[in-house]
Amino acid sequence: GTGSNILSALQDLFWLSKSKVEKQLQIISVLQWVLTFLVMGIACTLILMYILCTDCWAIAALYLAWLVFDWNTPKKGGRRSQWVRNWAIWRYFRDYFPIRLVKTHNLLTTRNYIFGYHPHGIMGLGAFCNFSTEATGVSQKFPGIRPYLATLAGNFRMPILRDYLMSGGICPVNRDSIDYILSKNGSGNAIVIVVGGAAESLNCTPGRNSVTLRHRKGFVRLALRHGADLVPVYSFGENEVYQQVIFQEGSWGRWVQKKFQKHIGFAPCIFHGRGLFSSNTWGLLPYSKPITTVVGEPITIPKIDNPSQKEVDFYHSIYVDSLVKLFDKYKSKFGLPETEVLEVN
C-alpha cells in the first residue's frame, strides 16, 4: 500500500544520495593526486622556506636536519607503508576510471623482475594505482612480490613529497636505487620502469597506441647485469584520459619540450581533462575512461656481469616482440579493433 510506496521512494532516494557521495569522493581522490603530481613538491619547498623565516623556524630546521640524515633512504628501497598503500582513498581513485589489473602468468618469489610499463600517458595513472597502492590487489594477484614504481630522481629532493612517494613504494629511476633493490634486497622484487619516459608522453593522445622503445635499451642491460626477468606490461586506455596539444617535429613547441626534457628530465605538456563540476568543461581532472593494465609473461634473463651490446640487442628484440604479442592478444578484449597496430618508435 501507501506505506510500502513511501518506503520504496525513501530507499531510492537513499541509494541515489549514496551514489552521488561516492562519485564526489572519487573526484576528490583523483584531484588530490593530480595536485600532488603537479604542485606538491614545489608547494612544500616554498612552505618550508617560509617557515624558516618565521618564529617557527626551529621546526623547519629540525626537518632539514633529519632530511640530511635521511637523504639516501630513497636509494635503498625507500620506506614503504602498507597502511598508506591500503588507504580507502585509492579505492575511490580506482573506481573513478575504473582501473583494473590483469594477471596473465604467475611470478616466482625466488626471482627479481623489471616490469616495462607502456605507455607513459600524461601522468602514468595506471602505473601509480596498480603498483603504488593496493587498490587493484597487486599483492593478492602476485603474492610475495614487492613492486617498486620508479620515477624521476628529482622528486626525492622535494621535502614532504619524497616521504609521501616512498610510503607507496616509489623509488628513484636511477642506477644506484635499482642496483640496490635488485642486488641487496633479496628476491621477489619488481622494479616498474615506464620505459618511454618523458619522450613518450609528448606523443600520447586518445586513439593512438604508440610506445618509445626502439632505442631504449638501458633497462635490458640492467636486467642482464642482475639476472632479473623482464616482464612486458601494457596499459590499455592510459592515453585516453587526457587531451593533449601535439607539436610536430621541427616546431618551436617541440623544441621547447625537448630542451626541458634534456636539461630537467621532464617535458612540459599542454593538456586538459574535464572540469571539477562538469565533464563538459575543461580542467585538470582526467576523463573517466577505463584503464586496464595487463601484466605479460616474464622473459627469463641470464645474469651477465658485463653484457655485450650484441647480448643487449638480442634480449631487447625478444622483449619488443613479447610486448607486441601481448598487445595483439588483448587489444580486442579492451575495445580496440583487430586491425589496430602497436606503433613502436
Side-chain angles (χ1 to χ4, degrees), residues 25-26 28-30 32-33 84 86-94 135 164:
L25 288 173
Q26 291 170 11
I28 291 169
S29 69
V30 175
Q32 68 83 26
W33 189 86
V84 173
N86 281 285
W87 277 353
I89 195 172
W90 306 132
R91 295 193 290 275
Y92 290 111
F93 182 97
R94 171 199 66 197
Y164 190 41

Side-chain angles (χ1 to χ4, degrees), residues 163-179:
D163 302 290
Y164 190 41
L165 295 178
M166 285 193 291
S167 67
I170 301 178
C171 68
V173 62
N174 58 33
R175 180 169 172 174
D176 289 343
S177 177
I178 295 172
D179 282 347

Side-chain angles (χ1 to χ4, degrees), residues 148-217:
Y148 293 86
L149 177 60
T151 188
L152 290 175
N155 289 325
F156 296 88
R157 301 188 186 101
M158 302 285 189
I160 311 300
L161 175 63
R162 66 189 293 277
D163 302 290
Y164 190 41
L165 295 178
M166 285 193 291
S167 67
I170 301 178
C171 68
V173 62
N174 58 33
R175 180 169 172 174
D176 289 343
S177 177
I178 295 172
D179 282 347
Y180 183 91
I181 292 171
L182 295 180
S183 64
K184 298 179 182 179
N185 201 40
S187 59
N189 303 292
I191 306 288
V192 184
I193 300 177
V194 186
V195 178
E200 189 172 85
S201 69
L202 298 179
N203 295 316
C204 68
T205 187
R208 183 177 183 182
N209 288 282
S210 172
V211 297
T212 301
L213 179 60
R214 191 71 65 188
H215 303 291
R216 299 291 176 107
K217 300 180 181 181

Side-chain angles (χ1 to χ4, degrees), residues 5-17:
N5 290 336
I6 293 174
L7 180 61
S8 177
L10 288 174
Q11 286 177 336
D12 291 341
L13 181 62
F14 171 76
W15 286 112
L16 178 63
S17 177

Side-chain angles (χ1 to χ4, degrees), residues 49-314:
M49 292 173 62
Y50 171 76
I51 294 174
L52 280 172
C53 301
T54 68
D55 293 338
C56 298
W57 63 269
I59 297 174
L62 284 172
Y63 178 81
L64 289 173
W66 179 81
L67 190 63
V68 172
F69 174 78
D70 194 58
W71 191 253
N72 289 323
T73 298
K75 299 178 183 178
K76 297 180 179 180
R79 194 164 38 247
R80 175 188 303 258
S81 167
Q82 286 302 115
W83 176 65
V84 173
R85 288 175 61 88
N86 281 285
W87 277 353
I89 195 172
W90 306 132
R91 295 193 290 275
Y92 290 111
F93 182 97
R94 171 199 66 197
D95 293 340
Y96 173 84
F97 297 93
I99 295 174
R100 291 176 54 209
L101 179 65
V102 176
K103 170 186 175 180
T104 63
H105 292 79
N106 292 324
L107 298 180
L108 299 175
T109 58
T110 55
R111 300 285 292 174
N112 283 325
Y113 301 90
I114 293 180
F115 286 16
Y117 184 91
H118 313 268
H120 183 287
I122 295 292
M123 296 185 184
L125 294 159
F128 171 79
C129 185
N130 286 308
F131 301 113
S132 294
T133 80
E134 294 296 331
T136 56
V138 63
S139 294
Q140 285 73 44
K141 288 182 170 67
F142 301 103
I145 301 298
R146 293 180 299 276
Y148 293 86
L149 177 60
T151 188
L152 290 175
N155 289 325
F156 296 88
R157 301 188 186 101
M158 302 285 189
I160 311 300
L161 175 63
R162 66 189 293 277
D163 302 290
Y164 190 41
L165 295 178
M166 285 193 291
S167 67
I170 301 178
C171 68
V173 62
N174 58 33
R175 180 169 172 174
D176 289 343
S177 177
I178 295 172
D179 282 347
Y180 183 91
I181 292 171
L182 295 180
S183 64
K184 298 179 182 179
N185 201 40
S187 59
N189 303 292
I191 306 288
V192 184
I193 300 177
V194 186
V195 178
E200 189 172 85
S201 69
L202 298 179
N203 295 316
C204 68
T205 187
R208 183 177 183 182
N209 288 282
S210 172
V211 297
T212 301
L213 179 60
R214 191 71 65 188
H215 303 291
R216 299 291 176 107
K217 300 180 181 181
F219 73 106
V220 178
R221 187 177 296 277
L222 279 170
L224 286 165
R225 289 182 58 245
H226 293 284
D229 293 348
L230 287 170
V231 182
V233 179
Y234 196 84
S235 212
F236 294 90
E238 185 73 63
N239 285 347
E240 306 301 315
V241 296
Y242 279 111
Q243 297 278 352
Q244 181 183 190
V245 176
I246 303 294
F247 293 101
Q248 298 301 316
E249 291 292 339
S251 66
W252 68 269
R254 183 53 65 100
W255 179 84
V256 170
Q257 289 176 322
K258 287 187 173 181
K259 287 296 182 181
F260 265 83
Q261 178 190 338
K262 180 179 179 180
H263 297 293
I264 301 178
F266 73 92
C269 301
I270 299 177
F271 65 92
H272 73 83
R274 53 156 290 180
L276 181 60
F277 301 106
S278 171
S279 59
N280 297 321
T281 58
W282 287 10
L284 290 177
L285 279 177
Y287 293 106
S288 53
K289 304 287 186 178
I291 298 174
T292 305
T293 302
V294 184
V295 180
E297 182 178 5
I299 303 165
T300 303
I301 301 294
K303 189 176 187 303
I304 305 174
D305 291 334
N306 294 296
S308 65
Q309 189 59 50
K310 184 177 180 180
E311 290 168 326
V312 172
D313 291 343
F314 174 73

